[in-house]
């Protein structure tokens, strides 16, 4: 059943065309991911709902229920007062109000709203007014309100922003269970892999639909580009032959008085012009992706960072209590923890206070630190873009522009004041400064925030080749799965080390009770038979988690194998890897569905 359709939608800002006759439809139960370069017009397709800043956090999600409650109370008073002449009408009014209240699941609505707020990290802020929340917290609250509405169609714009891993896992599970249609704009590849049944790519103002999740889109997109590249090369060769033939006919026609040669020449010229108009477009291979390379000599130090007896807090709020952590030279470590647990605080302290003679934060004497901050406080808002790069390392304006152009800055951006840049531009400027500095210890706090997917992947590839030491904070599972060799978790004010990559850590530490969704649904499943069924499913869930972890690792390997094969024009190997990837992705989705059901 059709839920929504976009027919020939166009939009422009001044002379810039953003949407050019966009058409697509959303059917019942569709879960579509909308992707595209930054500035391509994704958000233009979505609508916003402004919150009343005077209501409280608790009151905003419940706001939709309040009119139903008041209507039900009025109907109850009407029955009790006995003032209505027509008792039948009073009963009808009460029944209608009760039905409307029940349709919103009114008895459980407040409990479910509270559970959602807890899962989103707003448990302790229910009495705060919306206007006093941070921008990130307001975004999270808007997401909670949208999910509670349980509409036929959910429109979500970067719903994972400001959620930690537990919040993201809850959101993924919720969307998998959601019975309506979903259109989500997101740069989170893991979310798109788990949830999306189709991908809409917005490019040059037009939409292209791909079946399957993000991995399936990526494989098909690469194959289409390589096929287009092959057609383009063949087409250019044909045009070159036609141009040579027209040139030869021109020479013959000038030297020969026979009018037949003039007719032949005109016919060939017409053919050439026609084929030029119908020529295959040159494929654009991820033209939005930045070009990054982090130069560094291999790290020779055994210990890059040693944190010992580290205690830190703000007033009575203690973040760390005699915490300890060690990062070896050349190692890539992911630092994870709930929002507000102190990840950014620890990174800043390492950068600002870390030295070999420090009592609590020792940094190897041969370590040259490069730091990318989540709030971008490494940048000077009063300086220009080019000044910031030349401050990081001595170089000419020309050399600075060469480096910045690789990060998608143009000549007009060079003299822009840093304070006038967007969030994405500021993050790219931080990356440019790191490239200029050539550090051997990179400390990165959400380095791919505000970046589109091709740019995220470019940063990943550059960091994979980096020979120094990496300490990373990121909420991007794809990013961490690609890079992390070890995970350090902030738990109970300590730093707990977990060997292996992020997926291994997540499998070992994530609660298997289904999180908030599980707690809400358990309230609805109170019979003894359900408890027995859950007990029988527990072992199956453990087995599924192990198989999911193995499949995720195999999936990453197949993606790399397929990409490398197609890039080397080994089409047979590439198609074989793609078929294996498609089968594995389908199996993985089935395992995730079963895992969610067994929770």
């Amino acid at each position: 059943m059709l839920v929504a359709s976009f027919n020939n939608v166009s939009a422009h800002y001044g002379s810039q065309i953003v949407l050019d006759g966009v058409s697509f439809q959303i059917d019942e139960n569709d879960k579509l991911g909308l992707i595209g370069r930054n500035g391509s017009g994704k958000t233009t397709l979505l609508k916003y709902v402004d919150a009343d800043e005077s209501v409280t956090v608790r009151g905003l999600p419940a706001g939709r229920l309040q009119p139903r409650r008041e209507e039900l109370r009025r109907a109850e008073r009407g029955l009790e007062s006995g003032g209505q002449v027509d008792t039948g009408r009073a009963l009808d009014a009460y029944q209608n109000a009760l039905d409307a209240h029940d349709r919103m699941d009114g008895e459980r609505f407040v409990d479910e709203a509270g559970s959602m707020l807890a899962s989103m990290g707003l448990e302790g802020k229910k009495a705060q007014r919306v206007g006093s929340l941070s921008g990130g917290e307001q975004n999270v609250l808007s997401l909670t309100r949208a999910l509670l509405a349980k509409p036929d169609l959910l429109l979500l714009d970067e719903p994972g922003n400001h959620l930690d891993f537990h919040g993201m896992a809850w959101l993924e599970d919720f969307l998998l269970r959601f019975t309506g249609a979903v259109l989500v704009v997101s740069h989170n590849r893991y979310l798109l892999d788990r949830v999306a049944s189709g991908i809409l790519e917005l490019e040059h103002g037009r939409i292209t639909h791909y079946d399957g999740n993000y991995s399936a889109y990526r494989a098909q997109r690469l194959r289409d580009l390589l096929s287009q590249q092959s057609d383009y090369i063949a087409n250019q060769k044909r045009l070159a032959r036609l141009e040579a033939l027209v040139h030869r006919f021109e020479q013959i026609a000038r030297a020969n008085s026979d009018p037949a040669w003039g007719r032949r020449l005109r016919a060939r010229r017409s053919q050439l012009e026609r084929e030029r108009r119908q020529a295959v477009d040159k494929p654009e291979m991820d033209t939005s992706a930045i070009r990054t390379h982090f130069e560094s000599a291999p790290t020779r130090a055994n210990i890059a960072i040693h944190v010992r007896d580290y205690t830190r807090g703000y007033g009575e709020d203690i973040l760390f209590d005699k915490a300890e952590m060690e990062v070896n030279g050349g190692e890539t470590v992911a630092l994870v923890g709930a929002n507000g647990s102190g990840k950014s605080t620890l990174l800043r302290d390492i950068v600002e206070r870390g030295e070999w003679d420090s009592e609590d934060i020792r940094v190897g004497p041969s370590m040259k630190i490069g730091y990318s901050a989540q709030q971008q406080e490494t940048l000077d808002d009063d300086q220009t873009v080019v000044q910031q790069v030349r401050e990081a390392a001595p170089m000419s304006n020309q050399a600075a522009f060469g480096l910045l152009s690789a990060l998608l800055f143009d000549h007009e951006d060079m003299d822009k004041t840093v304070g006038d840049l967007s969030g994405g531009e500021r993050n790219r400027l931080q990356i440019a400064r790191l490239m200029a500095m050539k550090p051997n210890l990179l400390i990165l706090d959400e380095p791919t925030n505000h970046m589109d997917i091709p740019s995220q992947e470019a940063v990943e590839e550059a960091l994979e080749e980096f020979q120094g030491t990496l300490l990373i904070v990121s909420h991007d599972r794809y990013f961490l799965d690609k890079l992390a060799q070890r995970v350090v978790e902030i738990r109970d004010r300590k730093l707990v080390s977990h060997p292996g990559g992020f997926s291994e850590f997540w499998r070992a530490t994530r609660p298997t009770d289904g999180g908030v969704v599980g707690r809400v649904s358990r309230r609805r499943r109170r019979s003894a038979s359900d408890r027995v069924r859950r007990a029988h499913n527990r072992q199956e869930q453990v087995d599924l988690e192990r198989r999911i972890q193995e499949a995720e690792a195999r999936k990453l390997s197949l993606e790399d194998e397929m990409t490398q094969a197609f890039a080397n024009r080994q089409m047979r190997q590439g198609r074989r890897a793609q078929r294996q990837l498609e089968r594995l992705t389908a199996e993985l989705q089935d395992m995730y569905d079963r895992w969610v059901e067994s929770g």
Side-chain angles (χ1 to χ4, degrees):
M1 185 180 72
L2 181 67
V3 175
S5 64
F6 293 74
N7 298 310
N8 200 32
V9 177
S10 297
H12 61 87
Y13 297 110
S15 60
Q16 180 185 2
I17 297 175
V18 179
L19 304 176
D20 185 14
V22 167
S23 297
F24 65 94
Q25 69 178 43
I26 304 172
D27 294 326
E28 186 180 26
N29 299 324
D30 273 352
K31 291 182 171 62
L32 302 177
L34 177 60
I35 65 174
R37 295 176 298 166
N38 286 343
S40 62
K42 303 183 296 295
T43 302
T44 305
L45 286 172
L46 304 183
K47 296 180 180 179
Y48 293 89
V49 177
D50 294 327
D52 179 356
E53 296 192 354
S54 66
V55 300
T56 62
V57 168
R58 182 191 294 105
L60 183 59
R64 293 183 62 260
L65 178 65
Q66 193 62 29
R68 304 285 79 77
R69 283 184 161 178
E70 291 176 357
E71 186 178 348
L72 184 60
R73 291 193 189 102
R74 283 196 298 270
E76 288 171 347
R77 288 195 296 270
L79 280 175
E80 293 169 358
S81 66
Q84 294 192 36
V85 177
D86 190 343
T87 304
R89 274 191 298 176
L91 286 170
D92 287 343
Y94 175 77
Q95 187 61 54
N96 290 336
L98 181 62
D99 290 344
H101 185 266
D102 289 345
R103 279 196 296 273
M104 292 192 67
D105 208 6
E107 293 301 320
R108 285 189 289 261
F109 191 96
V110 174
D111 286 343
E112 189 168 354
S115 296
M116 284 191 179
L117 290 172
S119 73
M120 299 298 190
L122 297 177
E123 172 72 22
K125 300 187 177 184
K126 292 181 181 178
Q128 276 189 233
R129 297 193 180 279
V130 173
S132 69
L133 299 178
S134 69
E137 289 170 331
Q138 290 191 32
N139 287 344
V140 169
L141 188 58
S142 295
L143 170 62
T144 307
R145 186 186 195 186
L147 298 181
L148 279 167
K150 298 179 182 177
D152 295 323
L153 171 63
L154 266 176
L155 301 178
L156 302 176
D157 191 2
E158 293 294 352
N161 281 358
H162 311 287
L163 294 183
D164 60 20
F165 290 115
H166 293 281
M168 280 300 304
W170 179 88
L171 176 63
E172 291 160 10
D173 290 346
F174 181 94
L175 294 178
L176 283 170
R177 296 171 186 266
F178 181 65
T179 56
V182 177
L183 177 63
V184 54
V185 171
S186 181
H187 291 153
N188 188 304
R189 293 159 290 173
Y190 195 84
L191 171 70
L192 294 175
D193 252 359
R194 282 212 62 198
V195 173
S197 59
I199 298 293
L200 302 175
E201 182 184 45
L202 181 55
E203 187 176 38
H204 305 306
R206 294 186 175 276
I207 286 282
T208 305
H209 182 277
Y210 295 85
D211 290 327
N213 62 7
Y214 175 76
S215 291
Y217 149 79
R218 188 167 176 252
Q220 187 60 48
R221 169 72 166 155
L222 181 59
R223 199 164 82 170
D224 288 350
L225 283 170
L226 290 168
S227 175
Q228 186 181 351
Q229 174 76 3
S230 179
D231 291 345
Y232 173 78
I233 292 172
N235 188 241
Q236 291 299 303
K237 288 179 179 178
R238 176 170 174 76
L239 288 174
R241 288 195 295 269
L242 274 174
E243 288 169 353
L245 188 60
V246 167
H247 180 65
R248 178 60 180 153
F249 276 25
E250 287 173 344
Q251 292 176 327
I252 295 174
R254 282 196 297 267
N256 196 316
S257 60
D258 185 351
W261 279 106
R263 291 194 296 274
R264 294 187 187 105
L265 173 60
R266 288 191 294 274
R268 288 298 184 183
R269 280 175 173 167
S270 297
Q271 181 186 4
L272 177 59
E273 288 304 314
R274 184 170 61 253
E275 297 217 11
R276 279 175 174 166
R277 289 193 299 270
Q278 298 172 353
V280 176
D281 292 334
K282 184 176 182 179
E284 297 184 13
M285 304 291 284
D286 290 337
T287 55
S288 70
I290 61 179
R291 302 187 305 280
T292 57
H293 179 66
F294 300 101
E295 293 184 17
S296 171
T299 303
R300 292 187 172 87
N302 291 328
I303 297 177
I305 303 170
H306 187 191
V307 177
R308 57 185 180 182
D309 290 332
Y310 174 65
T311 298
R312 187 72 153 87
Y314 298 95
E316 297 181 356
D317 185 12
I318 304 300
L319 296 175
F320 298 95
D321 182 17
K322 296 183 178 180
E324 298 196 356
M325 174 184 73
E326 192 170 286
V327 178
N328 298 321
E331 192 178 21
T332 297
V333 174
L335 178 65
V336 304
N339 288 342
S341 62
K343 299 185 296 294
S344 295
T345 297
L346 174 56
L347 295 191
R348 281 195 299 270
D349 281 352
I350 292 173
V351 173
E352 295 172 3
R353 300 201 289 110
E355 56 184 32
W356 187 245
D357 296 328
S358 171
E359 293 185 359
D360 57 351
I361 302 177
R362 303 183 75 194
V363 174
S366 63
M367 294 294 103
K368 181 180 179 181
I369 295 178
Y371 176 45
S372 174
Q374 182 178 358
Q375 303 301 325
Q376 301 144 345
E377 62 267 21
T378 62
L379 303 177
D380 185 341
D381 286 352
D382 296 327
Q383 286 194 343
T384 65
V385 170
V386 72
Q387 284 174 335
Q388 283 282 269
V389 172
R390 296 187 64 186
E391 179 190 74
M395 66 180 72
S396 66
N397 277 353
Q398 184 177 0
F401 173 69
L403 192 154
L404 286 162
S405 63
L407 277 298
L408 306 184
F409 290 97
D410 56 32
H411 277 289
E412 294 180 355
D413 296 323
M414 296 301 99
D415 293 324
K416 275 186 180 179
T417 302
V418 173
D420 293 331
L421 299 180
S422 68
E425 289 170 330
R426 291 169 66 89
N427 243 16
R428 284 189 275 120
L429 180 56
Q430 287 196 111
I431 296 293
R433 284 169 52 87
L434 294 180
M435 291 168 61
M437 291 172 60
K438 301 180 181 178
N440 58 6
L441 170 57
L442 282 174
I443 296 180
L444 308 177
D445 193 354
E446 299 291 355
T448 56
N449 269 6
H450 313 291
M451 288 186 183
D452 55 30
I453 291 175
S455 296
Q456 291 175 13
E457 293 176 343
V459 173
E460 285 170 10
E461 292 170 8
L463 291 175
E464 270 193 304
E465 297 173 1
F466 180 63
Q467 298 185 56
T469 306
L470 279 167
L471 178 59
I472 304 173
V473 168
S474 176
H475 287 149
D476 186 335
R477 280 195 61 172
Y478 243 83
F479 187 78
L480 294 184
D481 271 334
K482 194 82 175 253
L483 296 171
Q485 301 165 339
R486 183 162 61 92
V487 173
V488 172
E489 177 192 15
I490 300 175
R491 188 205 305 165
D492 299 329
R493 301 174 182 174
K494 304 293 185 183
L495 292 164
V496 183
S497 179
H498 301 268
F502 181 83
S503 286
E504 294 167 283
F505 154 76
W506 189 242
R507 174 179 173 270
T509 60
R510 185 187 179 190
T512 57
D513 65 351
V516 174
V517 174
R519 291 196 296 274
V520 172
S521 58
R522 277 199 298 277
R523 294 188 186 114
R524 302 173 184 174
R525 303 194 301 264
R526 300 182 183 276
S527 69
S529 61
D530 283 338
R531 289 194 295 273
V532 171
R533 177 181 57 79
R534 289 197 299 276
H536 285 308
N537 286 345
R538 193 170 297 120
Q539 185 58 48
E540 179 186 1
Q541 191 175 45
V542 171
D543 293 339
L544 274 172
E545 288 175 351
R546 175 183 54 79
R547 291 170 59 195
I548 285 170
Q549 179 189 7
E550 294 170 352
E552 288 283 7
R554 175 62 177 151
K555 180 167 164 288
L556 286 172
S557 176
L558 279 173
E559 287 177 350
D560 290 341
E561 181 183 334
M562 179 195 68
T563 301
Q564 190 64 38
F566 280 140
N568 294 334
R569 305 197 65 76
Q570 297 171 330
M571 307 305 289
R572 181 177 298 178
Q573 294 94 316
R575 284 192 291 270
R576 183 175 65 246
Q578 181 184 359
R579 288 194 297 271
Q580 292 174 345
L581 180 61
E582 289 171 350
R583 286 196 297 271
L584 180 62
T585 300
E587 292 170 6
L588 191 56
Q589 185 60 54
D590 179 63
M591 284 190 282
Y592 272 124
D593 290 343
R594 289 164 57 196
W595 184 84
V596 169
E597 288 302 319
S598 67

